[in-house]
């Protein structure tokens, strides 16, 4: 007598996905456990990540402790302060985890993905938190008392997640060594601008980047910095970075600044309506004006066709973008990359700039990225890195779920297609990520 066949439903329910996510989380926590040398610290780190993923309103020490069943918050606070473990080891793990988890053939311009640089603000009170100062942050849209974190994110068609972080320390801090010592800032830490911090993160990710042309996107803080652009070119990383309207692009009267140049020579028929890549709502259509710039070494008016035919000589472009309903409002970009890059592919790079904002938004809204109460330098890095691990888990599991449900698949020509909704699904499954 044959045993009856097991009956498995053809549709995976939200509860089944939740249970799968919960199992995957436990596997991830076991894998990262090697970073924490002591058993007690390992357990605290696992509880901390579970709490960051839990359905609690504010993920500070006391609420996390209550969620995981601790009577006091000192254990989780100890994890961020005096416990022995290296947050940079966890940072490197998160980077590899995201690059592997969001990898798909044809997953981005150049066949790989886009490395996106941006910063985010963390509003704070007082003067004691490392790096806190009155400074502008786009998070608040104003000058406020805050810390600034420079973030790197990895974006493919499968999703996006943060993979690195650096705390910006203003000059006023670095000139006050007693204040630095009070916040436990290492004595060897010197002042570095945000573009220099971004270069440090890019250097770290280089060995792990997938094959293909990995493009870099960044906002105008980095795009206007000539040394930052030069560093990308020295590393062979193509880029499309935001620039200001008064950015000098050609050394010629009447054509020096990008906004004036576009206003003078861009005809209405030159603007192309092209998608900038998928968003949570739909594919975003913008109007683009793209022109190849002369090689700065060749001089104005030089014939650039010969250098364009040389595969080793990459091209420069100036890009303007506008919405059809508000044509006077424009964004501007400088780009550098393989000369045969199609315009349809080129515009996907600045179109990917918003992806780091989505990654940061997920980290803050779902993973407590901004809910820390630590003031020390190393406490900031520990909390932010643990929060990035939690957000990376959500991004990777969401991509895995989308592929399994047929919302995301690879076409025969190597491109990636969204066939279903692009709404986030992580919130449907968080209820299963309870402490064990």
């Amino acid at each position: 007598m044959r045993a009856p066949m097991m009956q498995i439903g053809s549709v995976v329910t939200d509860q089944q996905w939740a249970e799968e996510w919960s199992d995957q989380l436990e596997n991830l926590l076991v894998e990262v456990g090697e970073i924490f040398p002591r058993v007690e610290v390992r357990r605290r780190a696992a509880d901390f990540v579970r709490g960051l993923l839990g359905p609690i309103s504010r993920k500070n020490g006391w609420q996390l402790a209550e969620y995981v069943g601790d009577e006091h918050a000192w254990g989780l606070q100890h994890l961020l302060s005096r416990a022995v473990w290296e947050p940079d080891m966890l940072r490197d793990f998160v980077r590899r985890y995201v690059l592997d988890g969001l990898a798909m053939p044809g997953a981005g311009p150049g066949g790989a993905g886009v490395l996106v640089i941006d910063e985010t603000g963390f509003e704070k009170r007082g003067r004691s938190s490392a790096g806190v100062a009155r400074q502008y942050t786009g998070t608040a849209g104003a000058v406020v008392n805050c810390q600034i974190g420079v973030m790197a994110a990895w974006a493919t068609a499968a999703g996006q997640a943060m993979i690195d972080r650096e705390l910006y320390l203003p000059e006023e801090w670095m000139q006050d060594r007693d204040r630095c010592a009070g916040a436990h800032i290492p004595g060897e830490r010197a002042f570095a601008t945000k573009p220099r911090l971004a270069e440090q993160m890019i250097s770290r990710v280089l060995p792990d980047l997938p094959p293909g042309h990995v493009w870099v996107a960044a906002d105008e803080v980095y795009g206007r910095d000539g040394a930052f652009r030069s560093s990308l070119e020295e590393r062979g990383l193509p880029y499309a970075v935001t620039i200001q309207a008064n950015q000098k692009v050609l050394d010629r009267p009447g054509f020096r600044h990008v906004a004036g140049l576009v206003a003078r020579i861009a005809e209405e028929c030159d603007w192309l309506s092209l998608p900038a890549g998928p968003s949570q709502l739909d594919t975003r259509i913008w109007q683009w004006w793209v022109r190849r710039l002369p090689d700065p070494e060749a001089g104005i008016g030089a014939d650039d066709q010969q250098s364009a035919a040389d595969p080793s000589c990459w091209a420069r472009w100036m890009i303007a973008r506008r919405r059809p309903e508000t044509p006077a409002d424009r964004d501007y970009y400088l780009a550098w990359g393989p000369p045969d890059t199609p315009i349809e592919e080129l515009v996907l790079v600045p179109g990917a700039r918003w992806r780091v904002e989505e990654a940061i938004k997920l980290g803050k809204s779902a993973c407590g990225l901004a809910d820390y109460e630590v003031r020390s330098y190393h406490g900031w890095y520990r909390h932010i890195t643990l929060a990035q691990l939690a957000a990376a888990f959500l991004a990777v599991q969401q991509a895995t779920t989308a592929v399994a449900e047929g919302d995301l698949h690879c076409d025969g020509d190597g491109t990636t297609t969204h066939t279903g909704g692009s709404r986030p699904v992580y919130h449907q499954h968080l209820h299963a990520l309870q402490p064990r």
Side-chain angles (χ1 to χ4, degrees), residues 263-327:
R264 285 182 177 88
I265 68 175
E267 302 289 344
E268 190 62 31
C269 60
D270 294 334
W271 293 87
L272 304 176
S273 295
L274 296 171
S279 70
Q280 289 187 0
L281 300 177
D282 201 351
T283 297
R284 296 163 299 138
I285 302 295
W286 296 75
Q287 289 186 330
W288 303 84
W289 184 87
V290 182
R291 284 297 181 272
R292 173 85 177 267
L293 287 171
D295 188 332
E297 302 298 327
I300 298 298
D303 185 358
D304 207 34
Q305 296 302 315
Q306 183 175 356
S307 61
D310 181 0
S312 65
C313 182
W314 281 12
R316 302 179 190 277
W317 296 272
M318 184 180 63
I319 302 173
R321 184 183 73 171
R322 70 182 190 184
R323 291 185 181 275
E325 60 271 21
T326 55

Side-chain angles (χ1 to χ4, degrees), residues 223-296:
R224 70 189 180 203
D225 190 290
F228 177 75
R229 301 196 306 271
S230 295
S231 73
L232 297 178
E233 295 179 15
E234 291 170 1
R235 291 173 168 88
L237 290 172
Y239 61 79
V241 292
T242 309
I243 56 175
Q244 294 174 309
N246 62 353
Q247 175 76 36
K248 179 180 175 181
V249 290
L250 292 175
D251 190 15
R252 180 175 177 178
F255 293 88
R256 295 186 191 278
H257 297 158
V258 59
L261 191 154
V262 173
R264 285 182 177 88
I265 68 175
E267 302 289 344
E268 190 62 31
C269 60
D270 294 334
W271 293 87
L272 304 176
S273 295
L274 296 171
S279 70
Q280 289 187 0
L281 300 177
D282 201 351
T283 297
R284 296 163 299 138
I285 302 295
W286 296 75
Q287 289 186 330
W288 303 84
W289 184 87
V290 182
R291 284 297 181 272
R292 173 85 177 267
L293 287 171
D295 188 332

Side-chain angles (χ1 to χ4, degrees), residues 8 41-42 58 79 110 117 124 199 232 247 266 293 337 374 425 427:
I8 301 177
V41 177
R42 192 176 308 148
R58 181 169 173 78
L79 175 71
I117 305 295
K124 294 293 173 183
E199 290 167 9
L232 297 178
Q247 175 76 36
L293 287 171
V374 295
V425 297
H427 64 277

